[in-house]
Amino acid sequence: MAAMLRIVNGRVYDPANGMDGVVRDVCVEDGRIVADVPPEARKIDAGGMVVMPGGVDIHCHIAGSKVNLARKLQPEDHRRDPHLRTRFTRSGTGGTVPSTFATGYRYAALGYTAAMEAAVTPLGARHTLEELQDTPVIDKGFFILVGNNVLLYRLLQEGRHEEFRHTLAWWLSATKSYAPKLVNPGSDELWKGGRNANITRLDEKIGPFDLTPRKVISAFIGAANDLGLPHPVHIHCNNLGHTGNYETTLETMRIAEGRRAHITHIQFHSYGSVAGKSGDNPTSKAREIAEFVNTHPNISADVGAVMFGRSTSMTADAPLAYMLRRFGGGKWVNADTEHESGCGILPFTYQDHIYTNALQWAIGLELFLLSEDPWRMVFSTDHPNGGSFMSYPKLIRLLMDREFRKEEMAKVNQAALENSGLRDCQGREYSLYEIAIITRAGPARLLGLTSKGHLGVGADADITIYEENADKELMFSTPRYVLKDGELIIEDHEFRADHEGRVLHVAPDYDPAIEQVIQPFFEAFYTIQFANYPVDASYLHHHQVIPTTAQMAATGSPAGS
Ligand SMILES: [Zn+2]
């Protein structure tokens, strides 16, 4: 077990406990934060430094079959950006889709200690768990794609809501995943069977089903809340990337009717159209979207900011990839996973002189700057879709440093800036306290991770210590110290140890009789036997079950087993 440690003289930013730059000791024992340690415990002098909980990424793409396909699609990245081994750490490759080892080390080197892979087909759970097992240092989990699932659609269509809920719980348990994810609900049926068609309206009939996206979204929001999952349903709305889509986004949020729901990469869903012109250049509707989120405490979102440079679009939204591939004309992949989901992947470069790219960049910043509750509008670039997680320090600087933001705004397509509201937001600069909320405390709370994102007694001793610097990009690029589970992983900016993080997953209770409903569907339609489908415990090494509210009440333990 890791040794005892006392961090002294640092300015502590721990928003969950109301600490806003207070100079106080932080004590660590056996991988957890404790109230005190004996005087002989090792001391770290954090004078002139900022102490924060480790970063928590609520939405990124770092493991599984689509991520691996994206790596294979870009061998040039492997040559361009080798990740060399050190005495303590292993080698890998970088680029916008780093290899498993490089992903863990690079996140840790930015002070991140947890990240959630946001889109995995249930059939791909094994592959994903194997890659997550190979992703060092950070804790991690994954969301499963259920929003186009044929069996769940059938149950819903027949009004079998209780069985729908049990089936969803079974699927989460069977895959050892963390949360249900909806992507462009209803689209796969049209895409697969309808000559590359997509669904565009929430009240449109979904192919052969007597269902609409509205019914599907509402059912999943209800089931996730009824199951008391630590994180509510994670929604990639319909019409991602399309001009005028903000109305779909607003309407999707209204479907929640006060129930908890998380809207992901909301920047990609905040586009208006020029009055009287359809299909033209988009405009910013960040103000309308931010206003809705600000006034609806049941809704949370991550921004999905766009950063200029190379990215990789990888999505379960197959029709979107089909649309994007017309712009670049380069390599792309389209794939389908039986009755569960679709997928599209293509390398993409965001360029500051291009109208649409500059507008997307501006909308991301606007959403942050218009947000009145940083706990519910949290940090993401939808890595690697809007940009690599390696661009997080620069994005932090854009939020914290008005002058830098002005300089960057002068470089981009000015017509796009005119059609955004970014110039009107220049009064605001994020404080360190707010940065600590959007990158750590907020995501941890939204994920229901009660022992992460804060430095209170009992929390995981995942701690990042940055040297204070006026250049916030530099400051957040190179933490001086990173502790994971109380172990000093990075010291004086360099790796001093390797570490195996945990897989975080849920195991919601369900009626075992539901298997009699699920099994016949597998026998009739799947390529895999029902008995072989659930992921067994041998795929879990270092792991932690995060309880549902009912399980928490039964054990009286908020932190899980
Ligand atoms: Zn995503």
Side-chain angles (χ1 to χ4, degrees), residues 489-522:
I489 305 298
I490 291 175
E491 184 178 3
D492 295 335
H493 311 289
E494 288 187 8
F495 277 90
R496 296 282 193 246
D498 207 338
H499 186 82
E500 184 187 343
R502 292 188 291 277
V503 167
L504 309 171
H505 64 105
V506 296
D509 299 313
Y510 58 87
D511 178 357
I514 198 64
E515 296 191 354
Q516 287 155 30
V517 172
I518 303 169
Q519 181 163 6
F521 184 81
F522 269 73

Coordinates of all heavy atoms in Angstrom, one line a residue, residues 489-522:
I489 N 3.1 9.3 -8.8 CA 3.3 8.8 -10.2 C 4.3 9.7 -10.9 O 5.2 9.3 -11.6 CB 2.0 8.6 -11.0 CG1 1.0 7.8 -10.2 CG2 2.2 8.1 -12.4 CD1 1.5 6.4 -10.0
I490 N 4.0 11.0 -10.8 CA 4.8 12.0 -11.4 C 5.4 12.9 -10.3 O 4.7 13.4 -9.5 CB 4.0 12.9 -12.4 CG1 3.7 12.0 -13.6 CG2 4.8 14.1 -12.9 CD1 2.7 12.6 -14.7
E491 N 6.7 13.1 -10.4 CA 7.4 14.0 -9.4 C 8.4 14.9 -10.2 O 9.1 14.3 -11.1 CB 8.1 13.1 -8.4 CG 8.8 13.9 -7.3 CD 9.5 13.1 -6.3 OE1 9.5 11.8 -6.5 OE2 10.1 13.6 -5.3
D492 N 8.4 16.1 -9.9 CA 9.2 17.1 -10.7 C 9.0 16.9 -12.2 O 10.0 16.8 -13.0 CB 10.7 16.9 -10.3 CG 10.9 17.3 -8.9 OD1 10.1 18.1 -8.3 OD2 11.9 16.7 -8.2
H493 N 7.8 16.8 -12.6 CA 7.3 16.7 -14.0 C 7.7 15.3 -14.7 O 7.4 15.2 -15.8 CB 7.9 17.8 -14.9 CG 7.8 19.2 -14.3 ND1 6.6 19.8 -14.2 CD2 8.7 20.0 -13.7 CE1 6.8 21.0 -13.6 NE2 8.0 21.1 -13.3
E494 N 8.2 14.4 -13.9 CA 8.6 13.2 -14.6 C 8.0 11.9 -13.9 O 7.8 11.9 -12.7 CB 10.2 13.0 -14.6 CG 10.8 14.0 -15.5 CD 12.3 13.8 -15.6 OE1 12.8 12.8 -15.1 OE2 13.0 14.6 -16.3
F495 N 7.8 10.9 -14.8 CA 7.2 9.7 -14.2 C 8.2 9.0 -13.3 O 9.4 8.9 -13.6 CB 6.8 8.7 -15.3 CG 5.5 9.0 -15.9 CD1 5.4 9.9 -17.0 CD2 4.3 8.4 -15.4 CE1 4.1 10.1 -17.5 CE2 3.1 8.7 -15.9 CZ 3.0 9.6 -17.0
R496 N 7.7 8.6 -12.1 CA 8.5 7.9 -11.1 C 8.0 6.5 -10.8 O 8.6 5.8 -10.1 CB 8.5 8.7 -9.8 CG 9.1 10.1 -9.9 CD 10.7 10.0 -9.9 NE 11.2 11.3 -9.6 CZ 11.9 12.0 -10.5 NH1 12.2 11.4 -11.7 NH2 12.4 13.2 -10.3
A497 N 6.8 6.2 -11.4 CA 6.2 4.9 -11.1 C 5.1 4.7 -12.2 O 4.6 5.6 -12.8 CB 5.6 4.9 -9.8
D498 N 4.8 3.4 -12.4 CA 3.7 3.0 -13.3 C 2.6 2.7 -12.3 O 2.8 2.6 -11.1 CB 4.1 1.8 -14.1 CG 3.3 1.8 -15.4 OD1 2.2 2.4 -15.5 OD2 3.7 1.2 -16.4
H499 N 1.4 2.6 -12.8 CA 0.3 2.3 -11.9 C -0.9 1.7 -12.8 O -1.1 2.0 -13.9 CB -0.2 3.6 -11.3 CG -1.3 3.5 -10.3 ND1 -1.0 3.1 -9.0 CD2 -2.6 3.6 -10.3 CE1 -2.1 3.1 -8.3 NE2 -3.1 3.3 -9.1
E500 N -1.6 0.8 -12.1 CA -2.8 0.2 -12.8 C -4.1 0.9 -12.2 O -4.3 0.8 -11.0 CB -2.8 -1.3 -12.5 CG -4.0 -2.0 -13.2 CD -4.1 -3.5 -12.9 OE1 -3.1 -4.0 -12.3 OE2 -5.2 -4.0 -13.1
G501 N -4.8 1.6 -13.0 CA -6.0 2.2 -12.6 C -7.1 1.1 -12.5 O -7.0 0.0 -12.8
R502 N -8.3 1.6 -12.0 CA -9.4 0.7 -11.9 C -10.5 0.9 -13.0 O -10.6 2.0 -13.5 CB -10.2 1.0 -10.6 CG -9.4 0.7 -9.3 CD -10.3 0.8 -8.1 NE -10.6 2.2 -7.8 CZ -9.9 3.1 -7.1 NH1 -8.7 2.7 -6.7 NH2 -10.3 4.3 -6.9
V503 N -11.2 -0.2 -13.3 CA -12.3 -0.1 -14.2 C -13.5 0.2 -13.3 O -13.8 -0.5 -12.3 CB -12.6 -1.4 -15.0 CG1 -13.9 -1.4 -15.6 CG2 -11.5 -1.6 -16.0
L504 N -14.3 1.2 -13.6 CA -15.4 1.6 -12.8 C -16.7 1.1 -13.6 O -16.8 1.4 -14.8 CB -15.5 3.1 -12.6 CG -14.2 3.8 -12.1 CD1 -14.3 5.3 -12.2 CD2 -13.9 3.3 -10.7
H505 N -17.6 0.4 -12.9 CA -18.7 -0.1 -13.6 C -19.9 -0.2 -12.7 O -19.8 -0.1 -11.5 CB -18.4 -1.4 -14.3 CG -18.1 -2.5 -13.4 ND1 -19.0 -3.5 -13.1 CD2 -17.0 -2.8 -12.7 CE1 -18.5 -4.4 -12.3 NE2 -17.3 -4.0 -12.0
V506 N -21.1 -0.4 -13.3 CA -22.3 -0.5 -12.5 C -22.8 -2.0 -12.6 O -22.4 -2.7 -13.5 CB -23.4 0.4 -12.9 CG1 -23.0 1.9 -12.7 CG2 -23.9 0.2 -14.3
A507 N -23.6 -2.4 -11.6 CA -24.2 -3.7 -11.6 C -25.6 -3.6 -11.1 O -25.9 -4.0 -10.0 CB -23.4 -4.7 -10.8
P508 N -26.5 -2.9 -11.8 CA -27.8 -2.6 -11.3 C -28.6 -3.9 -11.2 O -28.4 -4.9 -11.9 CB -28.5 -1.7 -12.4 CG -27.6 -1.9 -13.6 CD -26.3 -2.3 -13.2
D509 N -29.5 -4.0 -10.2 CA -30.3 -5.2 -10.0 C -31.4 -5.3 -11.0 O -31.9 -4.3 -11.5 CB -31.0 -5.1 -8.6 CG -29.9 -5.0 -7.5 OD1 -29.0 -5.8 -7.5 OD2 -30.0 -4.1 -6.6
Y510 N -31.6 -6.5 -11.4 CA -32.7 -6.8 -12.4 C -33.4 -8.2 -12.0 O -32.8 -9.0 -11.3 CB -32.2 -6.8 -13.8 CG -31.1 -7.8 -14.1 CD1 -31.4 -9.1 -14.5 CD2 -29.8 -7.5 -14.0 CE1 -30.4 -10.1 -14.7 CE2 -28.8 -8.4 -14.2 CZ -29.1 -9.7 -14.5 OH -28.1 -10.6 -14.8
D511 N -34.6 -8.4 -12.5 CA -35.2 -9.6 -12.3 C -34.6 -10.7 -13.2 O -34.6 -10.5 -14.5 CB -36.7 -9.4 -12.7 CG -37.5 -10.7 -12.5 OD1 -36.9 -11.8 -12.2 OD2 -38.7 -10.7 -12.7
P512 N -34.0 -11.8 -12.7 CA -33.4 -12.8 -13.5 C -34.3 -13.4 -14.5 O -33.8 -13.9 -15.6 CB -32.9 -13.8 -12.5 CG -33.0 -13.2 -11.1 CD -34.0 -12.1 -11.2
A513 N -35.6 -13.3 -14.3 CA -36.5 -13.9 -15.3 C -36.5 -13.2 -16.6 O -36.9 -13.7 -17.6 CB -38.0 -13.8 -14.7
I514 N -35.9 -12.0 -16.6 CA -35.8 -11.2 -17.9 C -35.0 -12.0 -18.9 O -35.1 -11.8 -20.1 CB -35.2 -9.8 -17.6 CG1 -35.6 -8.9 -18.8 CG2 -33.7 -9.8 -17.4 CD1 -37.0 -8.6 -19.0
E515 N -34.1 -12.8 -18.4 CA -33.3 -13.6 -19.4 C -34.1 -14.5 -20.3 O -33.7 -14.8 -21.4 CB -32.2 -14.4 -18.6 CG -31.2 -13.5 -17.9 CD -30.0 -14.2 -17.3 OE1 -30.0 -15.4 -17.4 OE2 -29.1 -13.5 -16.8
Q516 N -35.3 -14.8 -19.8 CA -36.2 -15.6 -20.7 C -36.8 -14.8 -21.8 O -37.2 -15.3 -22.8 CB -37.3 -16.3 -19.9 CG -36.8 -17.4 -19.0 CD -37.6 -17.6 -17.8 OE1 -38.8 -17.4 -17.8 NE2 -37.0 -18.1 -16.7
V517 N -36.8 -13.5 -21.6 CA -37.2 -12.6 -22.7 C -36.1 -12.3 -23.7 O -36.2 -12.3 -24.9 CB -37.7 -11.3 -22.1 CG1 -38.0 -10.3 -23.2 CG2 -38.9 -11.5 -21.2
I518 N -34.9 -12.2 -23.1 CA -33.7 -11.8 -23.9 C -33.2 -13.0 -24.8 O -32.9 -12.8 -25.9 CB -32.6 -11.2 -23.0 CG1 -33.1 -10.0 -22.2 CG2 -31.4 -10.8 -23.9 CD1 -32.2 -9.6 -21.1
Q519 N -33.1 -14.1 -24.1 CA -32.5 -15.3 -24.8 C -33.1 -15.6 -26.2 O -32.3 -15.8 -27.1 CB -32.5 -16.5 -23.9 CG -31.9 -17.7 -24.5 CD -31.5 -18.8 -23.5 OE1 -31.9 -18.7 -22.3 NE2 -30.9 -19.8 -23.9
P520 N -34.4 -15.7 -26.3 CA -34.9 -16.1 -27.6 C -34.5 -15.1 -28.7 O -34.3 -15.5 -29.9 CB -36.5 -16.1 -27.4 CG -36.7 -16.2 -25.9 CD -35.5 -15.6 -25.3
F521 N -34.4 -13.9 -28.4 CA -34.0 -12.9 -29.3 C -32.5 -13.2 -29.8 O -32.2 -13.1 -31.0 CB -34.1 -11.4 -28.7 CG -33.7 -10.4 -29.7 CD1 -34.7 -9.9 -30.6 CD2 -32.4 -9.8 -29.8 CE1 -34.3 -8.9 -31.5 CE2 -32.1 -8.8 -30.7 CZ -33.1 -8.4 -31.6
F522 N -31.7 -13.5 -28.9 CA -30.3 -13.9 -29.2 C -30.3 -15.1 -30.1 O -29.6 -15.1 -31.1 CB -29.5 -14.1 -27.9 CG -28.8 -12.9 -27.4 CD1 -29.6 -11.9 -26.8 CD2 -27.5 -12.7 -27.6 CE1 -28.9 -10.7 -26.3 CE2 -26.8 -11.6 -27.1 CZ -27.6 -10.6 -26.5

